[in-house]
Amino acid sequence: MPATTSAYLARPGRPAVVARTLTELTGPTWGIVELPVRLMWSSERAFDLGDPDDLLWMYENVLRETTRVNDLRELIDGRTLRRVWRRLNLPRGVRLAWEGRHRDLRTA
């Protein structure tokens, strides 16, 4: 299933990409994850998912920067996303796009 794009922007000129379902998001829940350069331009692209701050920072970058649903599927875990949703610092367009598609995130 392809991702959906919306009228909401992740940043100027880039529509937010939203997975069709949270269950398709089966990314890692532990360990060290290194993001590709297209998602994180810094030389420090490795995140320890056991560190709550690293986990939030990684999720924020993926949700903001991705243009591919496969990035979401491979890097984000649906249950974890629901658990940390309120603590994520996201652009308004990304938050609105995800909450518009996944209404249960509004109350997560």
Side-chain angles (χ1 to χ4, degrees):
M1 236 184 258
T4 60
T5 56
S6 66
Y8 297 112
L9 299 179
R11 57 187 169 113
R14 178 173 291 174
V17 177
V18 180
R20 291 194 184 277
T21 69
L22 294 180
T23 57
E24 74 185 275
L25 304 177
T26 58
T29 57
W30 58 273
I32 305 294
V33 175
E34 185 168 341
L35 294 182
V37 173
R38 72 178 178 282
L39 297 178
M40 184 71 172
W41 304 305
S42 169
S43 60
E44 296 181 22
R45 297 188 316 269
F47 298 87
D48 178 355
L49 299 183
D51 178 325
D53 291 332
D54 268 14
L55 178 110
L56 293 175
W57 183 229
M58 187 192 95
Y59 273 44
E60 290 164 358
N61 278 282
V62 172
L63 294 170
R64 183 181 61 244
E65 298 299 332
T66 193
T67 59
R68 306 171 183 184
V69 72
N70 281 339
D71 289 336
L72 298 172
R73 289 180 185 137
E74 294 171 8
L75 297 168
I76 302 293
D77 174 71
R79 286 184 180 147
T80 303
L81 179 63
R82 187 176 289 116
R83 180 174 52 82
V84 301
W85 182 252
R86 286 284 148 224
R87 297 191 335 240
L88 293 172
N89 183 14
L90 297 170
R92 181 170 161 55
V94 173
R95 188 167 297 280
L96 290 172
W98 277 84
E99 288 179 355
R101 178 79 178 163
H102 306 287
R103 300 203 186 273
D104 60 322
L105 289 177
R106 293 179 186 177
T107 58

